[in-house]
Amino acid sequence: RQERALRASEQTKRAVLDASTESVLLLELDGRIVDINRTGASRFGRDPAEVIGLHLSALMPREVAERRQAMLKQVADTGSPVQFEDTRDGMVFQTSCFPVTDAGGKVVQLAVYAANITGQRRAQAIEHLLHDIDQSVLDGHGIPEILQLACLRLTEMFGLRLAWVGRKHADGTVLLVASAGAAQAYRNELFREGLRWDGPNGAQVPACAVIRNGEPVFISDADPAFASWSALAGGHGLRSMLGLPLRRRGEVYGVLAL
């Protein structure tokens, strides 16, 4: 009977934990995981049983683990909850940490709730970007300056290796107008021999297909239609690309490549 009661209690606890669509963890004071819900474990790419017993440092980059460990120590030392934001693997989390005390009021464990607010923060960042673009237009800045601002902010918002804008020319060439991001060597190689949206090399470059067809393109390095592009991009550690057509007065002006 006692065993059945314990099993039922464990099932109830698991159901309560898994009812949350955000991460819920119970930690030892040193950062070792005592329990975790399914959402929290899935954000580490694992099942709960695989995560329980592991230290946080085994599941995330060192700098992130050290920052979170410092916040946990603050809660353990002060007995007061804390809330903070940080980023892991391109996701923004708002994390709340609460002390769990024994009958004498001593902090013995830590309860953590972490909400993924990436979408919210990106929406705010896009709103700010649009406001800044409007302000740039009012200040009389030209299109190249505005596009450069957009590329820079997009790489920051989405953690992109590269964002660039190419302008379509009637003679079939693509002129680089703006770019930002760490993968400048790839960009330089792509444009080294001159990029043409109407030429043979354009058939293998996704951004050129966007200009030619006026339609968005999303590809990964496994797409056989762009094999030569995949070889070039893969050599620089790039695995996927999103191309969006830019229009001016209803006509394709160029491409935004992310």
Side-chain angles (χ1 to χ4, degrees):
R1 182 181 303 173
Q2 186 176 10
E3 183 179 341
R4 285 199 303 270
L6 288 172
R7 188 163 54 248
S9 176
E10 177 61 29
Q11 290 172 344
T12 300
K13 182 185 73 172
R14 176 57 47 193
V16 171
L17 284 173
D18 289 341
S20 174
T21 57
E22 299 293 352
S23 302
V24 181
L25 300 87
L26 182 64
L27 305 175
E28 298 287 7
L29 299 184
D30 66 355
R32 199 164 302 278
I33 299 173
V34 177
D35 210 344
I36 188 170
N37 69 341
R38 191 165 298 280
T39 296
S42 68
R43 287 175 175 166
F44 294 119
R46 308 193 189 189
D47 291 325
E50 299 175 288
V51 174
I52 292 172
L54 295 180
H55 194 277
L56 287 177
S57 61
L59 298 167
M60 58 187 67
R62 185 179 65 180
E63 62 274 13
V64 177
E66 289 177 350
R67 186 165 56 248
R68 295 190 181 185
Q69 189 66 45
M71 302 304 293
L72 298 177
K73 185 176 186 304
Q74 180 180 330
V75 176
D77 290 346
T78 66
S80 299
V82 299
Q83 186 176 85
F84 60 95
E85 286 186 20
D86 64 2
T87 302
R88 176 177 63 82
D89 297 333
M91 296 182 290
V92 181
F93 290 96
Q94 184 177 74
T95 301
S96 300
C97 182
F98 303 90
V100 178
T101 59
D102 61 14
K106 180 182 178 181
V107 178
V108 292
Q109 290 180 326
L110 303 167
V112 176
Y113 177 84
N116 184 350
I117 59 171
T118 308
Q120 178 183 339
R121 289 292 177 261
R122 285 179 175 172
Q124 292 172 345
I126 290 173
E127 183 178 346
H128 292 156
L129 172 59
L130 294 176
H131 173 270
D132 290 346
I133 288 175
D134 287 343
Q135 189 61 51
S136 294
V137 172
L138 292 174
D139 291 342
H141 294 297
I143 289 178
E145 292 174 279
I146 294 172
L147 293 175
Q148 182 61 38
L149 170 65
C151 287
L152 179 61
R153 297 283 282 278
L154 286 170
T155 57
E156 293 171 348
M157 276 189 281
F158 297 101
L160 302 175
R161 296 280 314 286
L162 182 67
W164 61 269
V165 173
R167 180 179 177 182
K168 171 187 176 182
H169 274 212
D171 64 2
T173 59
V174 180
L175 173 67
L176 182 67
V177 178
S179 72
Q184 296 299 313
Y186 158 76
R187 183 211 66 183
N188 293 340
E189 190 171 349
L190 184 65
F191 280 87
R192 180 170 297 151
E193 298 180 3
L195 197 60
R196 299 187 62 89
W197 61 270
D198 68 344
N201 70 341
Q204 281 290 323
V205 178
C208 293
V210 173
I211 293 176
R212 191 168 51 252
N213 302 323
E215 297 291 339
V217 169
F218 176 78
I219 67 163
S220 69
D221 58 0
D223 192 329
F226 298 99
S228 63
W229 172 85
S230 297
L232 171 61
H236 294 274
L238 304 176
R239 297 287 176 259
S240 61
M241 177 266 184
L242 172 65
L244 301 172
L246 301 177
R247 297 182 183 275
R248 188 179 185 186
R249 300 188 180 95
E251 298 295 325
V252 175
Y253 167 86
V255 59
L256 170 63
L258 308 171

